[in-house]
Amino acid sequence: VIMTQERTRKLYDQLVSGRQVIESSFHRHFTDHLNSEIVLKTLTHVTTATQWMNSLFLHVRIFKNPSGYGLPRDANEEQIKSFLKDAVMGGIRDLRTFNLISYQPDGSISPTEAGTLMARYCVAFKTMKLFGELQGNETLSEAL
């Protein structure tokens, strides 16, 4: 039983019957989610991060609709897997650049204090980047 307002009933009827396709929006905040999983210690190595990516709904949907995620409509399996691995490595690079994680040459990853605070207080990666760009001598109005 789904309880909803009359104006959204048609949408839910289509979803339940399979006539409405649901796409993932995970990729829009991928770096935020990646950091959270590192803070939770679900992800401790690049290998586990890649495996984690393969378990997401995004992984399922990108194979069915590559163009919905910025890939060519006719992208093959190799191109999609490369795209997903690049997303993981890019997210790790971005988190490392702003000292939100620690990355070791053997591929180990661990949270820093800043990354832990980002996850604990649900601060978006974009906001953390802005914090990282502060010089420390800004006025309050410049900082805001």
Side-chain angles (χ1 to χ4, degrees), residues 12-52:
Y12 287 104
D13 284 342
Q14 290 176 336
L15 288 171
V16 170
S17 69
R19 292 176 289 172
Q20 176 71 36
V21 176
I22 300 173
E23 292 296 345
S24 175
S25 61
F26 194 84
H27 60 292
R28 294 186 188 132
H29 300 282
F30 176 74
T31 307
D32 302 279
H33 297 298
L34 180 63
N35 181 65
S36 294
E37 296 298 331
I38 293 169
V39 168
L40 290 170
K41 296 191 173 37
T42 305
L43 306 177
T44 57
H45 196 276
V46 172
T47 305
T48 57
T50 304
Q51 291 167 346
W52 167 75

Side-chain angles (χ1 to χ4, degrees), residues 80-92:
I80 294 170
K81 285 183 176 184
S82 177
F83 177 83
L84 293 170
K85 184 173 183 177
D86 290 348
V88 170
M89 295 309 295
I92 289 171

Side-chain angles (χ1 to χ4, degrees), residues 134 137-144:
L134 293 175
N137 57 357
E138 295 84 2
T139 65
L140 181 58
S141 62
E142 290 171 337
L144 295 175

Side-chain angles (χ1 to χ4, degrees), residues 52-82:
W52 167 75
M53 176 65 116
N54 294 338
S55 72
L56 301 174
F57 180 62
L58 170 63
H59 185 267
V60 173
R61 288 306 310 155
I62 201 167
F63 275 91
K64 294 189 185 259
N65 181 20
S67 63
Y69 302 93
L71 289 165
R73 178 178 294 273
D74 60 347
N76 62 35
E77 182 176 354
E78 184 179 315
Q79 291 171 308
I80 294 170
K81 285 183 176 184
S82 177

Side-chain angles (χ1 to χ4, degrees), residues 73-122:
R73 178 178 294 273
D74 60 347
N76 62 35
E77 182 176 354
E78 184 179 315
Q79 291 171 308
I80 294 170
K81 285 183 176 184
S82 177
F83 177 83
L84 293 170
K85 184 173 183 177
D86 290 348
V88 170
M89 295 309 295
I92 289 171
R93 182 194 64 242
D94 290 344
L95 292 169
R96 183 178 177 202
T97 298
F98 289 94
N99 297 314
L100 298 168
I101 64 166
S102 171
Y103 177 83
Q104 302 304 317
D106 69 352
S108 298
I109 47 180
S110 58
T112 63
E113 183 179 6
T116 301
L117 291 171
M118 175 185 163
R120 180 175 293 143
Y121 295 106
C122 299

